[in-house]
Amino acid sequence: MTQSLTQAQLVAWLGAFRDAVHEHRAHLTELDAAIGDADHGTNLTRGMDAVMALVDSDDVPDTAASLLKAVGMKLVSTVGGASGPLYGTFFLRAAAAAGDAETLDAEAVLGMLRAGVEGLASRGKASVGDKTMVDALAPAVQALADAVGRGDGLPAGLRAAAVAAAEGREATTPLEARKGRASYLGERSTGHTDPGAASATMLVEALADAVA
Amino acid sequence: MIGIVVVSHSRALADAVVELATQMTADDGPTVAVAAGADGGLGTDATAVAEALVEAASPDGVLVLMDLGSAVMSAELAIELADLGGTEVRLSPAPLVEGLVAAVVRAAGGADLATVAREAEAALTPKQSALGEPAAAAGPPGEDGPGPPEVSVTLTLVNPSGLHARPAARLATVLGRLDAEVVVAANGREADGASSLELLTLGTGQGTGITVSATGPDAQRAVDAARVLVEEGFGELDAGTG
């Protein structure tokens, strides 16, 4: 398989993520109201609107690395809540991993996502099982790595990643939160899906949709 | 002098805490840069924190005090984003209000970054002590063997409330700028004279006797300065003492 992620697909990914957070804004906020401060949907839509204003403008960066870096900086300065530095770090690290690669083949996309997720996890000092974004993102990266190892193409690999992310999101429901605002609730955080894992799943699904 | 950065979700909160803290020092305190709010609302913005780090940067280092949640992550990210050359930056786990007050006073006294960071971290001690909870043992680190010659004076506090916040801050600022180790003793306890927090834990009031003991090149100046401040009632006496 020689399929690569194009610049147009990167832009389509960001657009699809923006659309998803808009469509599910009330749901994300509702999840966050249960165990957090009810701002996740609002914060992410504001951040992704700012990102798309940049992407739709004339001076949109024309390489993967510069585009992803600009996205990261935009999120960092507009989201406000914890998801700002978290998703911001994801895109900044992904940008660094993309480097000046001319084509992003499956291997390179895996490297990019892995660097992004590792950066995000390290920023939030979160591991799988803490009821965070990492519960969706870490299994997604693993699924993509398995697919790439099998020689599946990028579309199939990213579809598998999206499925794994959704499973990871669902697995957060019975967990007790150990990071972030929800951790103040202790046992009362069980029985609610983590809003970060929900939005992170949308991020992976948007990428799978963009290359499908 | 070190620089200080305040990171808060709220511009109003940050401005108020800076006003409160800088009230404790004269006009020659440390630079306190603020990064608060995001996109016009509540939140934190790592790029704004990076700008504040650059604004407060000093060869002596920068101490960062934060409120909660994303403030910590934004500050960590900001250190990666900011071009600070070799400036040392420390993120303080101290509570924002108590920590900033302690840090500004100690920094104004010329203390180094490690000392100011320690002071900020110990900033809950006076409140814990006031509420009767066990606090970390106060007092300067012990020294073995015969020390340098000591100058000391015993004074009686004449201002209405003793070494409460503002007098303690004034005394600590003055003593911190001198090349002397100063111990203030009262009520059977000892405090580092350059630490406004430790001075607060002495539990003094009007009429309390304190002993100021100093060693080092500026020992005599330290004792004289303490005497003047105490006798003037820290500027808090009604009668026109100027």
Side-chain angles (χ1 to χ4, degrees):
Chain A
M1 294 301 270
T2 56
Q3 192 182 351
S4 303
L5 185 62
T6 65
Q7 193 74 359
Q9 285 171 327
L10 278 178
V11 169
W13 172 27
L14 298 168
F17 183 47
R18 190 266 311 266
D19 292 346
V21 296
H22 265 276
E23 186 184 343
H24 300 289
R25 171 181 174 158
H27 178 61
L28 288 174
T29 292
E30 193 182 312
L31 292 178
D32 198 26
I35 61 172
D37 45 5
D39 63 3
H40 193 51
T42 314
N43 286 348
L44 264 189
T45 47
R46 183 174 57 240
M48 286 311 295
D49 283 347
V51 164
M52 293 316 290
L54 173 82
V55 169
D56 292 337
S57 71
D58 290 336
D59 51 352
V60 54
D62 59 359
T63 68
S66 55
L67 174 62
L68 294 170
K69 183 173 179 200
V71 169
M73 293 301 286
K74 191 53 89 178
L75 289 175
V76 152
S77 59
T78 56
V79 169
S83 48
L86 290 168
Y87 282 129
T89 299
F90 170 84
F91 281 104
L92 291 173
R93 295 291 167 84
D100 47 12
E102 298 215 338
T103 55
L104 293 170
D105 59 12
E107 198 80 46
V109 171
L110 171 62
M112 217 171 69
L113 294 182
R114 177 176 276 148
V117 172
E118 283 173 357
L120 180 151
S122 133
R123 175 76 57 224
K125 296 175 183 68
S127 318
V128 171
D130 287 344
K131 199 177 179 100
T132 71
M133 296 169 182
V134 175
D135 286 336
L137 294 173
V141 169
Q142 189 55 51
L144 179 61
D146 292 345
V148 170
R150 286 193 302 269
D152 294 354
L154 199 50
L158 288 172
R159 184 51 58 198
V163 169
E167 286 170 2
R169 173 196 64 204
E170 294 308 307
T172 64
T173 305
L175 296 175
E176 184 175 325
R178 290 202 287 259
K179 297 287 170 189
R181 199 77 67 97
S183 63
Y184 292 132
L185 293 173
E187 280 180 22
R188 279 183 291 149
S189 64
T190 63
H192 301 280
T193 303
D194 178 62
S199 66
T201 300
M202 292 172 196
L203 181 70
V204 182
E205 287 173 343
L207 181 56
D209 291 346
V211 300
Chain B
M1 193 180 299
I2 72 155
I4 294 177
V5 169
V6 172
V7 183
S8 171
H9 282 62
S10 156
R11 165 61 61 174
L13 175 61
D15 287 346
V17 73
V18 169
E19 181 190 2
L20 184 68
T22 53
Q23 201 183 30
M24 311 283 290
T25 57
D27 48 9
D28 51 354
T31 300
V32 182
V34 167
D39 211 40
L42 291 180
T44 60
D45 171 353
T47 60
V49 181
E51 285 166 18
L53 285 172
V54 170
E55 183 188 337
S58 142
D60 297 321
V62 179
L63 186 69
V64 183
L65 288 120
M66 299 150 285
D67 57 8
L68 31 94
S70 67
V72 178
M73 285 190 285
S74 287
E76 289 174 332
L77 180 53
I79 293 174
E80 295 173 23
L81 298 177
D83 183 8
L84 292 165
T87 303
E88 185 182 355
V89 179
R90 285 204 194 189
L91 304 182
S92 172
L96 178 60
V97 176
E98 289 88 344
L100 184 68
V101 170
V104 165
V105 172
R106 196 69 196 247
D112 62 20
L113 181 59
T115 305
V116 178
R118 235 183 357 258
E119 184 84 354
E121 276 184 61
L124 278 178
T125 309
K127 198 189 275 176
Q128 287 167 331
S129 171
L131 296 174
E133 290 175 24
E143 279 171 296
D144 294 328
E150 184 178 275
V151 185
S152 82
V153 63
T154 297
L155 304 162
T156 301
L157 296 172
V158 294
N159 60 312
S161 45
L163 291 173
H164 67 90
R166 210 166 315 168
R170 278 193 69 181
L171 182 58
T173 303
V174 168
L175 295 178
R177 287 181 180 160
L178 297 172
D179 187 7
E181 298 291 319
V182 186
V183 175
V184 178
N187 296 325
R189 280 178 258 172
E190 289 191 347
D192 175 355
S195 166
S196 59
L197 290 171
E198 290 190 17
L199 292 172
L200 285 173
T201 64
L202 293 174
T204 58
Q206 190 170 32
T208 303
I210 66 169
T211 302
V212 180
S213 310
T215 56
D218 288 340
Q220 188 63 51
R221 291 178 60 195
V223 166
D224 291 345
R227 188 208 313 267
V228 170
L229 281 171
V230 168
E231 288 176 352
E232 287 178 348
F234 299 95
E236 294 187 337
L237 301 180
D238 288 333
T241 49

